[in-house]
Amino acid sequence: MELGVNVPNFGPETNPARLRDWARVVEGLGYDLLMVSDHVVITPDVEEQYPEPFFEPFTTLSWLAGITDRVRLGTTVLIAPYRHPLLTARMATNLNALSDGRLILGVGAGWAQQEFAALGADFAARGRATDEVLAALPKDIPLWIGGNSPAALRRAVRFGTAWHPLRQTLPQLRTGLARLYALAKTADQTSPTPGFAPRILLRLTDEPLADDERIAGEGSVEQVLDDLAVLRELGASTVVLDPFVGDPAETERPEAAWQQLATIIDNWRRRDT
């Protein structure tokens, strides 16, 4: 099972130098994948969690492709209805070529209604628009389908290389996987059942947390390592760690996140040997 990192491409003090440092840390620690998020217009509903500056993912990943050597690059997740399907397909194809085939495209339908309005995109039709983008994308780029709704699971079965749920509890992930496999079993198609590549929170605490009060990736070092072991047993090919807890001020002091990432990968390697 591979490990990835969701790097904050937004917030106070986020700039090219800070993004370069993140890329060097992620690749230097031995993580397999670096992913960034997607917003185009920082409307009030977006700004509450993801304030300016916000670096657009295709542009950012193209730049990071030139300053990294090994780590794969991806979106978690690209909001499909924000861009024309053919434009998205062209940008994804170019980025994949510029990165020597290192792109993973995580795709979702979106949630920020004010941002949809600012872009002139139809929020009510975002599911159909997402399907149109997915149908236009090249088949040689891995597609991770975000979302936990029944529609998102159906989309994962129809289009996805993997289902990419975000920040859930282990019981929720087990339930979602059971629904995914049931849909795949009944689907009238020849494509394989999509894989499983969740994004989980990374928040280490000094003391263990009650299991019924935490989501996957939250708690003591041993709890997070146990979560990773369970996810591997559930068939995860990749787990993306998300060290952004929710306070935009975190982006001003990334050293704490870097230390937690180092702690997890070092201990995971020891446990795995």
Side-chain angles (χ1 to χ4, degrees):
M1 183 178 75
E2 296 188 337
L3 295 179
V5 178
N6 180 28
V7 167
N9 53 319
F10 56 85
E13 300 303 320
T14 297
N15 53 45
R18 179 61 51 79
L19 290 167
R20 182 174 59 245
D21 289 343
W22 265 104
R24 288 174 174 169
V25 167
V26 170
E27 188 167 61
L29 288 173
Y31 281 91
D32 303 289
L33 172 63
L34 182 160
M35 305 192 92
V36 297
S37 301
D38 181 30
H39 284 289
V40 177
V41 184
I42 309 306
T43 47
D45 51 350
V46 174
E47 186 176 18
E48 186 174 341
Q49 287 191 16
Y50 309 108
E52 295 276 17
F54 200 109
F55 285 80
E56 192 276 332
F58 281 113
T59 310
T60 302
L61 292 175
S62 294
W63 181 65
L64 293 178
I67 60 174
T68 55
D69 299 311
R70 175 196 54 82
V71 70
R72 289 185 295 157
L73 305 165
T75 54
T76 177
V77 291
L78 189 80
I79 308 304
Y82 289 172
R83 301 166 182 86
H84 191 282
L86 296 180
L87 174 62
T88 301
R90 173 56 61 91
M91 290 191 294
T93 299
N94 288 354
L95 175 52
N96 195 49
L98 290 168
S99 64
D100 293 325
R102 288 188 280 154
L103 178 63
I104 293 175
L105 205 61
V107 177
W111 56 269
Q113 294 191 42
Q114 294 174 12
E115 188 175 15
F116 271 82
L119 290 166
D122 187 347
F123 183 78
R126 66 193 185 281
R128 182 173 66 252
T130 299
D131 290 347
E132 291 173 356
V133 170
L134 290 168
L137 288 171
K139 305 308 179 187
D140 60 332
I141 297 175
L143 297 178
W144 291 5
I145 310 302
N148 312 310
S149 67
L153 292 173
R154 290 192 297 270
R155 193 170 291 123
V157 169
R158 182 180 176 189
F159 296 106
T161 307
W163 177 46
H164 183 50
L166 313 180
R167 293 193 175 207
Q168 293 195 313
T169 66
L170 288 177
Q172 287 172 330
L173 290 170
R174 286 193 181 94
T175 299
L177 276 173
R179 292 172 177 166
L180 179 77
Y181 296 151
L183 285 169
K185 187 175 181 180
T186 59
D188 182 18
Q189 63 179 48
T190 58
S191 58
T193 300
F196 177 44
R199 189 181 99 196
I200 67 173
L201 179 66
L202 176 60
R203 186 175 77 88
L204 298 182
T205 59
D206 294 333
E207 300 295 332
L209 301 179
D211 282 333
D212 60 351
E213 297 177 357
R214 69 183 189 92
I215 63 174
E218 181 180 42
S220 67
V221 171
E222 288 302 314
Q223 283 181 308
V224 175
L225 295 175
D226 288 344
D227 289 345
L228 292 175
V230 169
L231 293 171
R232 180 167 61 180
E233 291 173 2
L234 291 173
S237 58
T238 305
V239 175
V240 179
L241 301 176
D242 186 352
F244 178 66
V245 176
D247 180 3
E250 296 171 45
T251 62
E252 300 180 56
R253 45 183 188 276
E255 294 81 7
W258 296 344
Q259 183 57 56
Q260 293 198 9
L261 289 166
T263 297
I264 289 302
I265 199 164
D266 287 346
N267 282 276
W268 179 248
R269 286 168 176 157
R270 292 192 190 101
R271 179 184 280 205
D272 211 33
T273 56

